[in-house]
Each structure stands twice: as structure tokens, then as C-alpha cells.
Amino acid sequence: MILSETIFFKDKYQMTHQIIPPLAAHFIWHPDDEDAIFPVICAFRRYLTRDIERPFSRELNIPTFLYSTRQPLLAPITPPAKLAQRDVVFLFLSTNTLMNEAWKNYIDNLPAYEGYAIVPVAIEREGQQHALTGRLKNLNFIRAFDWLSSPLSEQYSILMLSHELYRYGLNDIAPSHTGIESSIKLFLSHAKKGDTGLKHAESIKRFLDNSNMKRFFDANEISPGFRFDNEIENHIKNSTIIAIASDAYSSRYWCQREILCAKRERRPIILVNSLEHYEDRVFPAASNIPCVHITAEPLDEKNILRILIAALLETIRFRHAHKLLKYYQNQGWIDKSAQIFARPPEIQQIVDLVRNNDEKISELTICYPEPPLYKEETDWTDYFKLTVSTPLWSSKDNELNMRIGLSISDYSPDGYERHNQNIDELKRFSQSLVRHLLARNNKLIYGGDLRDDGFTQFILEEATVLRDRLQVDQLYVENYLAWPLHTKKENMRWYANYSAVVKPHKVAIPADIRDSISNPDSFLEPNCPENRYIWSRCLTKMRQQSVASSDVRILAGGKLENYLGKMPGLLEEFIIAYESHKPIYLVGGLGGLVKLLCNSINEKKITDDFTDNWQTTHNSGYEELQNIAKRLGHHADYQKIRDLVENIDLTLLAARAGLSIEDYQSLMNSPFVDESIHLILKGLRAIKNRGAVLDN
């Protein structure tokens, strides 16, 4: 069922967002169980989301949400909202949840929507007692306590959670169905002679026979009188293929045919590389798919789990990609006539399309999941004038040639009490945003600190990788650095590591404090109120110059405490950009200061966090800084900030950004990275097309 709108709890989101993805995963746990279960949740999330350490990898892009609390006697503030066509809620249960009335009430009041599945996971045997009454009555639990203390606890957890995510998230389960009907079906493709492939397949078969997963092993399972070839191909049409590549595999006709059939039917496939000695020619069709390396020795339990996890996750990725791209196509993100592929296209697939559909190759449009291919990988598509695209990029995209200012920084997590996303979603957003902005020949303007794992590093590393992928000479990020930061030699050395993509701007000392600085070439520590005031003036000047040199400004994240300026950095950059009439994109759904700013604008009521009293209470030494700054006329005027924020015209804010007010409100509230980037690109194109005169 495609939902026409999304239901939100009023204290969680201000307005509905437009995009309703096919699947979202939610995780709920008691804080006293965190040591036992949170590492498992983190390991599973690494598979479900794009790995920020490997931003160009072709992994899953399923949104994930986290719910807990910092106070063990209290339950989470809100239940998981209905955010997707299918929401799968993993509920981790123990003595701590069973013997706590607040938690029992929270669990009993979990919503009951269509497409909203609760998967109870007992991490202690006592947790199963939740099935006796209430919301979870008579439900079967995942018995995680059976393996959590074993050396393979992470592997078993990921396998079990993956299978339930596949079952509830990507299948239509009628009340009359038995559970086994929604289980994954695996096709073991292997050489039938007695080599390594057969031995590995037999080991996997024995494991599957003791699980709730289904499998097709070999011709011995075909009923007498049925056509051998038809039976195999019919099984392939409904299966995920595990191709066990041994020394004999590629030379076997039926192994080749099984792979070709799976490719033709667009089925999920993984390759298990178990070569012992040598293969004179790897079968070309057995490429462009995930590969798991296994030694030629007998398969142990750990390696069987690795293979099955890879097969399950590729099945989820494959099915989810199809559903997501079809949904985006219905939303108009993708050409209505585009062919949807769950993998980047292969030339044989294009030949089959042209042959079967009587189309010209130059008239075909192919859409595949993010991220876009390397330039070298698209030489053949360019040669045939084939249009290839991802949801956020097309080979026919026009350049924007704009100077885009980025105001993105991290924030302190709240233990998933109110904001239910990990901060890595903000990093994932920054990586994807930078990739798509630079690929359209924009210059990025950033004023950030230089430290390992900081957002400046994320941005510059993404630019470095993209420069190599696009094979271009000029691909620059301009980074503004305030005094005294640019006096530190280690900062200049840090720049040197990214000299091919970064253009540093050293911002001079403001004139009004120049005489207060005895040695402009020496670093000044912000270790007293007077020095902190000097820092605040330098940071303000840096922000003014950075914003002035930008055509537009994009804001996301942002911390409210432990900063070095006269007010939180992103708040100051927003005020400077707004008063300069710059187009501004507020990405509020990813948390931090910008989320609170969006709430304040929507409600026309400033949040307490943007008041002098809150800032003084939560930031040591801030009152002394404000007193000095007020005496010299450069303090943070929170009454002025209140008047500005509460009187912002949202219609004007949206119009400047090239968006409708509905789109802008979606941008302010969406928790989804792809939707946020899509809306930003949509607004930038509108600004470019209308020929707006941008302030510089």
C-alpha cells in the first residue's frame, strides 16, 4: 500500500514530509541493557546504512531510528512514528523492561498501524514474559539470549535481525500465512562434481535445514517427470542465488546458465569465492555483484554465517532498491520511462532490453541506486549515448556553477531521548551533499576547524575522491580559517594533505582588536574571558566573510554548547546570511541546533536554548564573555535574535531558496538524507533557471 501522507506525533515533528520510503528500521532498548545490545545494534546499522568510511560503496540506504533514555526509570519520550510504507520495530526486552512500569506502559501503547511490525527480541530469558499480557501477548520472540554470550553473537544477531527485516519489511504477509511462507529462499549454485563447491554447498544446506530459511540444492530435488531446465529457472525466479565459485565452476555449462538466468531475471546474487588453485577464465557474468572470500578448507560455522548474512543483506538491498527507485519514479524524481536496475547496468542487459523491446539504445534511460559510477565505468554508456542516472544525478545534468556555503557541524547526542537518529546521519548527509554539489561544478565555501574526523575533513576527503572519479583538474573547496587558527603550523600541514582540492582563506584580525594582540604570528589560547572575546571577534569576521562570498547557504546540525564564538556558530551564520538576503536551506530533520531553529521558525516562538539565560547556564565562562562584549558593543543580543526568528516570513525564506513553502517545510523536517539533498538540488536549479541575482 502506498500511503498518501505520513502520521507524526506532534511533539516529534512539526509537519509532514513528502517522501515516504518503502522501509524504515527502528530500535528500542533499555539503557541498562546498552552494554549488551547496543554494539549489536551498531553492527547491524553499519549494514543497513551507507558506511561513512566507504561513502562510494553500494550498500543499503535504509533509514534507521533509535529510542532509549538516559534515565533508567523512565521510558523513551515518544514511540517510533509511522515514517515509511513499512516500519519494522526491533524491541529489545529483558528484566529491566519487564520490571519497570513506565517501560511496560510504553510497550503496551506502541502504535498499531498497517505496515507497522513489532519484532520482540528477548535478550534475557525473562524478557519473554512480556508475551503473557498486553501489546506483545502471544507473539513469538527472537531468542537472542541463546547466542548473545557466544563468540559468534554478532553474526547470529545480524543474521536473525536481517531475516525479520526482510520478512516484515519487504513481503506481503496475510493473516492466514504461516511464517515460513515469507522466509527467504536461497538457490545454491555450485559445480556438481565432488570439488570444493559441492562440499561448501552441502555444509550450507545442512545449516539451512535447521533454520527457518528455504533453499534449493540441486537436481535431486526436482520431481520425476518435470523438465530439468524449467524447474531450475523457475526456482531461480523466486530465489537469491549463492554462486559458489570453485575451480570447476566457470567451466560448467549449468553454472553459467544459472548465473545468466539470474541476471536476466534481475535476481539478487552473491559470489562465494572459494578457488583452491587456478581458474583460466572467470565467467564474465559473475561480476558486478557482491563477493565473499572463503578459504578452500571445510566451511566452519562462522563462514557459513558470513555467506548467509551477505545473501540476506544483498536480498534486502536488492528488493529495497527496486521499491525505493519505483517510488522515486512515481514522485517524479526519475524519468517515467526509465528502466529500474538494482545494480549499475551491464552491456548485456542493455542488449537484451533493446532486442526485446525494439528500442534504440540512445532512447533508453537507466536508473540505478546511489552512488553514481566512476567516469571510466560510463565510457561505454557515453559512447552509445545511453542516459544513466541515480535518484540524485543524471548523465544529462546541467552544471550549476554556484558558490555554495556550508554550515554543517556536529552536536552533542541526547541519548536518543528526543532526537532518534545517530549523528552519523549528519556525516552521511554531508558526504552525499558534497559529492552532488561538486559534481555539478559548484564551489563549496566552508569555515571549519581542522581536526581528524571533523566535518572539514569529511568534506575534503569527499572532494579528493570525487576529483579522481571525475578526472578534473579544478575541484576546490574554499575553507575560511579565523585568526589565530591559521598561525598554527600543524593546521597548514593539515591543509597540505588536501592541497589538490582546498583553497585556504586566512581571515585577518578585526581592526577593533588588533592593538590588543601583542604578537599576531603567535597562537593565542582561549583560556580567559579577554582571550575568548578576541576569539569571538575573529570568528564573527570569519563568518561574515564566508557568508559574503557565498551565493547560498546550507545549514545542518550545530551544537549549542562548548563553542568559542559570541553565540553558537550556526546560529550566527544563519543570522548573517538571513540579514544579507541570501537563499538559505535549513536541514532541520537531522538534529542539532538547526532542528531547534526550524521548530522556532515554524512555531513563531523561540526555543529556550536561544536565550541569554540558557546559554549562560550551560556554557562555563559565557557570562564573563558577554559582559566584556556588551561593554565593547559586540555581544550576542538575544532579544534581537528572538525578534528576528519569531518574525521570519517562511514564504519569503522558501521563495529565496527557489522552493514552494510545502517543499521548504519538508526540508525543515525531513529525517531522510536523500529527500533533503533532492530538495536542495531542486531549489538550486530553480534559482539558476530564474536567473536570480545573488548577493556576493
Side-chain angles (χ1 to χ4, degrees), residues 93-107:
L93 302 163
S94 66
T95 304
N96 294 315
T97 56
L98 183 69
M99 303 306 295
N100 184 309
E101 285 301 315
W103 272 85
K104 288 175 69 176
N105 289 335
Y106 176 82
I107 292 167

Side-chain angles (χ1 to χ4, degrees), residues 9 60 108 194 378 393 407 412 415 420 434 442 559 620 668:
F9 294 91
L60 278 159
D108 286 341
T378 59
W393 170 87
S407 299
S412 299
N420 304 118
V434 166
N442 297 295
K559 59 185 177 182
S620 176
M668 295 172 83

Side-chain angles (χ1 to χ4, degrees), residues 30 53 80 90 129 146 263 273 275 283 319 328-329 355 381 504 506-507 552 572 577 579 592 620 637 685:
H30 190 282
E53 302 300 327
F90 293 99
Q129 299 296 312
D146 281 342
K263 285 286 184 79
N273 184 337
L275 292 180
F283 186 42
R319 294 277 295 271
Y328 286 163
Q329 192 172 44
R355 181 187 295 137
T381 64
K506 300 178 182 179
V507 180
V552 303
E572 186 172 20
E579 292 182 336
S620 176
D637 187 339
R685 290 190 197 101

